[in-house]
Structure formats: structure tokens, C-alpha cells
Amino acid sequence: MSEAREFERQGVSGVAPSTKPDPDQDVGAGASADPVRRPPGRLRRLLARPTVRVILAVFAAFLAWLSWSVGGALLAPGNDSTAARLAEWGRDHHLGPMVTMLETAQYKMSPPRVGGRPSIAIGGPQAPLATTVDPASHAPTPALPPIELAPLTSPAGDPLPGEGAWRVLSSVRGTPAIQAAELRPDATHTSYLAGVVSMDPRLVRFQLHPGTDDPGPDNWGVPPNIPPDQRAGLLASFNGGFKVNVNEARGGFFLNGVTHGTLTSGAASLVFYKDGHATVGSWDNGVEMSPDVVGVRQNLRVIVDQAAVPDDVDSHIESGWGLTIGGAYFVWRSGVGVTADGRLVFVYGPALSVRTLANLLQQAGCVEAMQLDINPAWMSFNYYQPGSDPQDPTPVKLLPDQERPAERYFEPTSRDFTAVYAR
């Protein structure tokens, strides 16, 4: 009796403990339970539910699409950096706020320096004033008198040695065709240099090229790169503007009879003509469509107008002049303008505001000018040194701290650009 009571006290009423397997365990004949190798029964029953299966199928399809989409962006032709490709992919897929947040954090960790001296040398080797032979006639063409350019005044105050002085990057028929100067952009960001380039339309011609993504593929008649058979006489190249296909540029792109976006009245416009020259102005207010126009690249509104800098360059910096890294005013910017004597001037550099960019273009003699692209991933001015093979010139960055490689436009590129050739 004492043993029975003891069993009852233990709650078994004299019956031996049950050996019936737990239904939540999956133990087959001759096998032991292994929660690592075999999911518990509850998980199996959950996975068997139709709703869960649908959710998992949708999630798997999303992951497959994400891998395909991001992979396509990363493997697209061209030499855009991984960071630039991911940022562009994010903005194209409604993730702009997240991209901006990450860029803001990056900017705060490394804002533009204040004070100091440039870490890169001012100026570089001057190109010899070689004679360029006309490839059609194989004979020299008479030289033209050079255009004398006055040295630029440093906005930072007392100039450093060589600051603001012009040097020859390329010559045609013994006359300077492309000249450049470097100078500090203002009295605060004195450790940075901006590059200023003057191009003589009597000696050079300009060719607008489309990008693979912007403005995108079409019947342009011009490739999205500079292939080897189009490098003879190549002197320089520089970047285009904001994205046309998402209306960031607030204007259109026209080339050889094809238009993407809308050519917008009042928009700042870089205009290309059949005779090879180019100019800048407000569309329908100084420049307009005509039978001689072969290309138009619009971007925002002018930042130099009738030789004056408009007051609105200081207003609505992000909403009016583009989303900058970290929402900062002083970032990499580029711009192009035209002088009273028809020279095309390109300016770019780090730690530029819209106003300091405009001031540099104005000081270089521009009577009309416009901003092009911004942020380091898109900046480029490259010039090309001729070698023994006319179709294999050596590309050189104007500013050594330019992020993009000098051979950027030898490969298909995602954004439009301008190539500059000897006449």
C-alpha cells in the first residue's frame, strides 16, 4: 500500500511513465531527434500553410528581382564607381531619401576643410605648340594669331606661385587652342583648387555624346563613348548635366533630330552647331532652334546672364541647383559658359557653391554660363596628349583629385558628355 500511495503522490497512480513520443518531435524508426538537421513539427506545419507558402514565394521572387536589378546596375557598361551605381539605382527606385541620408552621414564625417594650402601642385607641364596636320590634305594649315588671356585673380587673396596663370594644354597649327588655369575658389576653402579651361572655337570643334542611361539609347548617330576610330585629333572631353530622363535637368536633350525630354523655354542651354562651334544661353532668349543646330543640352537656368551673376544663385540651393552630398553648398560642381569673343569656358572643382562657380565663370570672361553636373562621381575634364599613333592619345585629368579616371569616355558611359577635337 505504501508503494501505491507513493505512486499516487507522484501522480502516476501506479502506472509506469508513458513512452509515447512527443508529437512535436520527428523521430523516425531507428533515428534520434535532431533539432538542427530536422525542423520541429510546428515549423513544418507552419510551412505547410498555403498563406505562408504564398508569402515565401513572393519574398523569393522579390529577392530574385532585387539581385537581377542591382546586379544589372553594377555590371552595366562603363567605369562608374560601385558607390555611384548603387546611389543611382537607389534614386531610380524611389530610395532617394535613404541615399541622401547615407550621403549626409558621409559628408558629416568628412566636410570640406577650412583654411590650409592645396595638397596638389598648381599647374603642370605646358604642351608644346606643335603643328596639327589636316588629315584630309596631309598639309599644314596656316596658323592663327593667339588670343591673349589675362591672368585670373585668386578669390583667396594673395596668389600662390602659378595661381591663376594660363598654360597650354593643346595647340592647333602652332596656336594655343585649349588653355587652363588653377586657382583657389574663395578665401575660406583655401586648400582646394578649381580648374578653369578656355577653348578657342577657331581651332576646336565640339561634339555632344549621349549616355547609355541618360538620355538613354536612341537613334542618335553618335556613340556613348569615344571609340578608337574617333580619337584622331581628340583634344579634350568634359561632363554633361543632370539627368534628363527623370527631369532633374528641367529641360531636354536634342541630338541629330532626336529629342528626349522637352526643350524648355528659359532653360540654360549648351547648344552645338553644324560648323562645330558651341555656345550657351537661355532657350528662346538668345539661343533657339534653327537648321544649323545639331545638339542641345539643357540644365536648370543660367548662372551668368549678360555678364552678371543673378541673385537667385544663392536661393533654394538643393531644390533649385540639385541634391548635393549632405545637402551642402560647397561640393564638386561644374559649369560651362561662353565669352564675348566666342570662347567656350569650362570650370569645375571641389568645395564650390553655385555662386563661387558663377564667379569663376564670370571672371574668365563669360557673358552667359550654366551649371552642369555636381558631386564627385560625375566630374570630369580630361585632355589628351598625342603620341605616335593618332588614334591612341594619352588621357590626362586636369585636376589630379578628380574621382573619375582620365580614360572615362573611352568606354561607354552612363551620362552624356562633350568631346573636343582639333579643327
Side-chain angles (χ1 to χ4, degrees), residues 382-394:
N382 311 304
Y383 63 97
Y384 302 89
Q385 297 178 329
S388 57
D389 183 354
Q391 295 185 347
D392 189 25
T394 300

Side-chain angles (χ1 to χ4, degrees), residues 293-336:
V293 172
V294 295
V296 181
R297 207 315 174 186
Q298 296 190 321
N299 203 63
L300 307 178
R301 57 192 185 275
V302 294
I303 59 174
V304 176
D305 187 22
Q306 299 181 29
V309 177
D311 291 337
D312 67 357
V313 299
D314 299 315
S315 304
H316 308 292
I317 299 300
E318 280 204 288
S319 61
W321 302 104
L323 290 173
T324 58
I325 291 179
Y329 290 2
F330 296 94
V331 295
W332 276 89
R333 296 182 190 271
S334 61
V336 65

Side-chain angles (χ1 to χ4, degrees), residues 81-358:
S81 68
T82 299
R85 291 170 187 259
L86 289 175
E88 288 299 287
W89 180 90
R91 288 197 168 98
D92 290 342
H93 291 82
H94 311 291
L95 297 176
M98 181 179 295
V99 174
T100 300
M101 180 185 67
L102 294 173
E103 289 179 340
T104 299
Q106 176 191 14
Y107 183 87
K108 288 181 177 179
M109 288 189 292
S110 183
R113 297 186 300 277
V114 172
R117 293 171 66 92
S119 59
I120 60 177
I122 294 177
Q126 178 154 304
L129 298 182
T131 296
T132 300
V133 175
D134 181 350
S137 64
H138 302 287
T141 307
L144 294 171
I147 296 176
E148 297 295 335
L149 302 178
L152 300 175
T153 302
S154 173
D158 292 336
L160 300 172
E163 186 176 8
W166 295 98
R167 62 189 174 96
V168 178
L169 300 183
S170 305
S171 65
V172 176
R173 302 189 295 278
T175 301
I178 301 179
Q179 300 183 68
E182 292 86 29
L183 67 169
R184 293 167 294 170
D186 56 45
T188 301
H189 304 96
T190 54
S191 63
Y192 298 94
L193 291 175
V196 182
V197 183
S198 173
M199 294 166 276
D200 188 341
R202 304 173 306 161
L203 301 167
V204 302
R205 59 182 178 87
F206 301 93
Q207 172 66 66
L208 178 62
H209 284 256
T212 57
D213 294 340
D214 198 73
D218 213 319
N219 240 354
W220 303 114
V222 181
N225 65 321
I226 307 173
D229 62 356
Q230 295 182 21
R231 294 176 192 169
L234 178 64
L235 300 181
S237 58
F238 57 87
N239 61 265
F242 289 3
K243 299 184 77 172
V244 173
N245 60 12
V246 293
N247 202 32
E248 289 179 355
R250 297 174 198 159
F253 183 99
F254 170 84
L255 182 58
N256 294 330
V258 179
T259 303
H260 278 208
T262 302
L263 294 181
T264 304
S265 183
S269 305
L270 173 59
V271 186
F272 300 78
Y273 295 87
K274 286 181 179 178
D275 66 0
H277 87 280
T279 193
V280 174
S282 295
W283 194 246
D284 293 331
N285 185 22
V287 291
E288 59 189 7
M289 184 57 70
S290 75
D292 292 329
V293 172
V294 295
V296 181
R297 207 315 174 186
Q298 296 190 321
N299 203 63
L300 307 178
R301 57 192 185 275
V302 294
I303 59 174
V304 176
D305 187 22
Q306 299 181 29
V309 177
D311 291 337
D312 67 357
V313 299
D314 299 315
S315 304
H316 308 292
I317 299 300
E318 280 204 288
S319 61
W321 302 104
L323 290 173
T324 58
I325 291 179
Y329 290 2
F330 296 94
V331 295
W332 276 89
R333 296 182 190 271
S334 61
V336 65
V338 65
T339 64
D341 59 4
R343 289 177 295 113
L344 208 66
V345 174
F346 179 88
V347 173
Y348 81 137
L352 290 175
S353 68
V354 185
R355 176 165 288 278
T356 54
L357 173 65

